[in-house]
Amino acid sequence: MQRWMRKKTHFPLLAFFFSVFVVASVLYIENTHQIQEQKEAATTHSLFPTSVSFSSHKIKKRDLGSLDWSKACITTRNYTTHEEWISSTPKSNQQKLNQGSCDVFSGSWVFDNVSHPLYNEADCPYMSDQLACLKHGRPDSTYQKRRWQPHNCNLKRWNAIEMLEKLRGKRLMFVGDSLNRGQWISMICLLQSVIPDGKKSITPNAALTIFRAEEYNATVEFYWAPLLVESNSDDPVNHRLDDRIIAPDSVLKHASEWAKADILIFNTYLWWRQGKIKLLATDEDGVCEELDGLGAMKFALEAWADWVASNVNPFEKRVFFVTMSPTHLWNREWEPGSVGNCFNEQTPIDMEGYWGSGSDIPTMRVVDNVLSTLKSKVSVLNITQLSEYRKDGHPSIYRKFWETLSPNQLLNPVSYSDCIHWCLPGVPDVWNELIFHFL
Ligand SMILES: *[C@@H]1O[C@H](CO)[C@@H](O)[C@H](O)[C@H]1NC(C)=O
Ligand SMILES: *[C@@H]1O[C@H](CO)[C@@H](O)[C@H](O)[C@H]1NC(C)=O
Ligand SMILES: *[C@@H]1O[C@H](CO)[C@@H](O)[C@H](O)[C@H]1NC(C)=O
Ligand SMILES: *[C@@H]1O[C@H](CO)[C@@H](O)[C@H](O)[C@H]1NC(C)=O
């Protein structure tokens, strides 16, 4: 980073490296954060938990068992069997979560301090220090008081008891990365206030964390699988690695947990945007092929879709896929000429249809195409556009940072602002209101 600065690199290149740096450091912070949380849980018993068979790639489904990922690739070569990855015209026969003519994903944010926030940050014992922005000094709270208003209809009004009734006797499982974990925390914060003490509990368990609502015999769970398929990043604590290796066709280990859930909410996105990804060698030779993140993501989504296609009966299981969560790393995108990011942003973007560079359109096309093959088996929770407006919704510097910040960083808040995750209460609450709306 420093070296690039001194060399007076062209701005776009610098910008690229800076954004990679920001994403990498935030993902790193998340990692150390989890370790810290585990340590805390161990010492203080804190309430927060410690935390398709793809035709062109002929490999069999296998149980990776106790594979040592660090020795999985002896050498690496470029992925060669290139094909047309991305069709620019998505097939549009996937299930659209529209009610009649109303698209609930198209609308605007309105100030509403009467109905929002739906819970108080300080009242939720499961809140994460990564997302508790007021606790960490955020001076404004208007970001908590915005309601999503679709253009042509109203969202069903959130009701925790009604949601718990829908979950009675069921397992609701969130599966994905830290953005999905934020949505899971939002969900348990939204629900927990109506459950008396002693009738709710949380069970930390490495990859799977389970919140129980006893009286409803219901669970709301989070399963860590940032790349969906099996990978060397599946350890919920130790996933800060120099390179990412995925088993492009294998979801076996993860899916044994997914199979037990009644309602599944998947996401995957940012982890595919940190450079090249290796595909686990298929033969004993240890030669791993390597390709760009989007190509690798397509393999993973195909494997996931293959599992959904053969294991999900839509009358028994409900599956949602949450689209890309936008980042706000460059304020020049909404305010030309400025140099900063989401830091100090207090109002949403009011430009209808605003779309920043953090939401990758080719990725959306891949998701469109994969989901279109699953038709009614998966409901798309298309949160990208509505979240794009919320440049004010990120923690920026108002969260716990688990690594020590240097004096230079502290002098320049923009340099360490988290413009990826979301404060709670906040934007992910609305993603859950949408789940409630459609369940
Ligand atoms: C792999 O592809 C990259 C470009 O993406 C190229 O720079 C590199 O030389 C290639 N390596 C081999 C071994 O072909
Ligand atoms: C809501 O906001 C308005 C305008 O800022 C203010 O006058 C009012 O007191 C607020 N009401 C609540 C319940 O906070
Ligand atoms: C509780 O829910 C599980 C499914 O999550 C079900 O198998 C079990 O029978 C239920 N128990 C009771 C007492 O209803
Ligand atoms: C989500 O909505 C965007 C427009 O906001 C659209 O371009 C995209 O195709 C939609 N994606 C899916 C998977 O429905």
Side-chain angles (χ1 to χ4, degrees):
M1 192 60 208
Q2 294 297 326
R3 213 172 300 133
W4 283 109
M5 299 264 209
R6 280 199 294 271
K7 278 171 112 183
K8 291 199 185 115
T9 316
H10 286 311
F11 186 68
L13 190 61
L14 176 62
F16 170 76
F17 280 99
F18 180 69
S19 82
V20 168
F21 169 76
V22 169
V23 172
S25 51
V26 170
L27 291 170
Y28 167 69
I29 287 161
E30 173 210 331
N31 168 44
T32 44
H33 155 82
Q34 286 201 341
I35 294 171
Q36 188 65 32
E37 271 181 349
Q38 287 210 330
K39 282 188 194 139
E40 283 191 351
T43 53
T44 66
H45 301 283
S46 89
L47 272 165
F48 188 77
T50 59
S51 15
V52 208
S53 46
F54 199 62
S55 49
S56 67
H57 197 85
K58 290 188 252 56
I59 29 187
K60 291 188 283 311
K61 298 246 181 328
R62 67 222 123 110
D63 186 351
L64 301 168
S66 55
L67 171 81
D68 181 353
W69 287 96
S70 66
K71 301 198 178 87
C73 299
I74 294 163
T75 53
T76 300
R77 66 161 181 261
N78 286 343
Y79 181 77
T80 45
T81 329
H82 255 294
E83 54 172 295
E84 272 313 306
W85 287 111
I86 303 139
S87 142
S88 54
T89 49
K91 303 165 211 126
S92 58
N93 55 346
Q94 78 250 27
Q95 189 186 22
K96 287 268 187 278
L97 279 174
N98 296 347
Q99 286 196 334
S101 61
C102 178
D103 177 2
V104 295
F105 303 111
S106 166
S108 61
W109 292 93
V110 295
F111 176 77
D112 178 353
N113 61 350
V114 178
S115 70
H116 282 65
L118 296 167
Y119 55 91
N120 283 319
E121 181 190 297
D123 295 344
C124 180
Y126 312 104
M127 183 59 68
S128 159
D129 268 336
Q130 195 178 10
L131 311 172
C133 299
L134 292 186
K135 179 178 170 188
H136 293 280
R138 183 157 176 170
D140 60 313
S141 62
T142 312
Y143 69 91
Q144 297 189 347
K145 298 168 186 160
R146 299 192 198 279
R147 177 169 55 78
W148 177 247
Q149 177 61 58
H151 285 315
N152 302 310
C153 53
N154 291 320
L155 273 187
K156 199 167 140 81
R157 207 186 160 88
W158 172 260
N159 181 318
I161 302 226
E162 195 183 334
M163 182 68 180
L164 283 163
E165 285 300 343
K166 287 174 195 284
L167 298 180
R168 190 178 281 283
K170 296 201 164 96
R171 292 180 68 171
L172 165 62
M173 190 184 289
F174 288 87
V175 179
D177 60 22
S178 61
L179 275 311
N180 201 275
R181 182 172 57 218
Q183 188 179 352
W184 168 73
I185 293 171
S186 155
M187 183 62 98
I188 60 182
C189 288
L190 281 163
L191 292 172
Q192 69 85 29
S193 67
V194 300
I195 306 172
D197 287 340
K199 300 288 182 194
K200 55 192 170 194
S201 62
I202 200 152
T203 322
N205 176 345
L208 181 67
T209 311
I210 304 177
F211 171 80
R212 278 174 218 284
E214 245 175 63
E215 292 165 306
Y216 295 87
N217 185 29
T219 61
V220 181
E221 316 180 15
F222 175 67
Y223 186 86
W224 173 258
L227 299 162
L228 296 184
V229 290
E230 289 179 52
S231 78
N232 64 348
S233 305
D234 289 342
D235 187 309
V237 177
N238 299 311
H239 49 237
R240 192 196 177 213
L241 305 158
D242 291 336
D243 52 1
R244 307 250 173 251
I245 310 170
I246 63 169
D249 65 334
S250 185
V251 296
L252 279 183
K253 192 177 72 197
H254 300 330
S256 62
E257 294 295 339
W258 308 344
K260 298 173 193 159
D262 302 284
I263 305 161
L264 282 157
I265 300 169
F266 291 96
N267 93 321
T268 192
Y269 172 52
L270 281 177
W271 283 62
W272 301 105
R273 295 183 58 74
Q274 298 174 70
K276 296 211 165 203
I277 295 195
K278 294 185 172 103
L279 309 180
L280 183 65
T282 52
D283 306 319
E284 299 297 306
D285 60 6
V287 181
C288 293
E289 290 182 298
E290 182 175 65
L291 79 170
D292 58 282
L294 183 56
M297 179 180 177
K298 187 161 189 279
F299 275 128
L301 280 179
E302 298 276 356
W304 167 82
D306 201 28
W307 179 82
V308 171
S310 47
N311 291 279
V312 171
N313 171 350
F315 296 105
E316 288 170 358
K317 245 192 225 317
R318 199 63 204 270
V319 179
F320 291 91
F321 187 90
V322 183
T323 60
M324 305 178 281
S325 173
T327 58
H328 292 92
L329 302 176
W330 307 107
N331 65 355
R332 60 181 146 79
E333 293 181 0
W334 59 85
E335 201 185 315
S338 51
V339 282
N341 53 27
C342 72
F343 175 68
N344 254 344
E345 292 291 347
Q346 302 194 353
T347 52
I349 294 167
D350 62 7
M351 192 196 310
E352 176 92 28
Y354 171 83
W355 193 277
S357 67
S359 300
D360 184 52
I361 289 175
T363 302
M364 189 62 111
R365 292 289 86 88
V366 164
V367 168
D368 285 338
N369 285 329
V370 170
L371 293 178
S372 71
T373 64
L374 296 168
K375 304 199 175 80
S376 64
K377 292 193 173 192
V378 177
S379 305
V380 184
L381 212 62
N382 200 338
I383 54 99
T384 308
Q385 180 68 72
L386 70 91
S387 309
E388 273 288 357
Y389 300 128
R390 295 301 305 276
K391 63 180 166 62
D392 61 322
H394 301 284
S396 70
I397 63 170
Y398 306 110
R399 49 165 280 186
K400 182 152 188 168
F401 288 94
W402 303 96
E403 55 181 4
T404 311
L405 298 162
S406 70
N408 275 346
Q409 282 178 305
L410 290 169
L411 283 174
N412 179 12
V414 165
S415 71
Y416 68 98
S417 284
D418 175 355
C419 298
I420 294 174
H421 300 97
W422 303 95
C423 297
L424 290 181
V427 174
D429 299 335
V430 174
W431 306 348
N432 285 321
E433 288 183 86
L434 289 161
I435 298 270
F436 175 64
H437 186 85
F438 290 116
L439 269 182

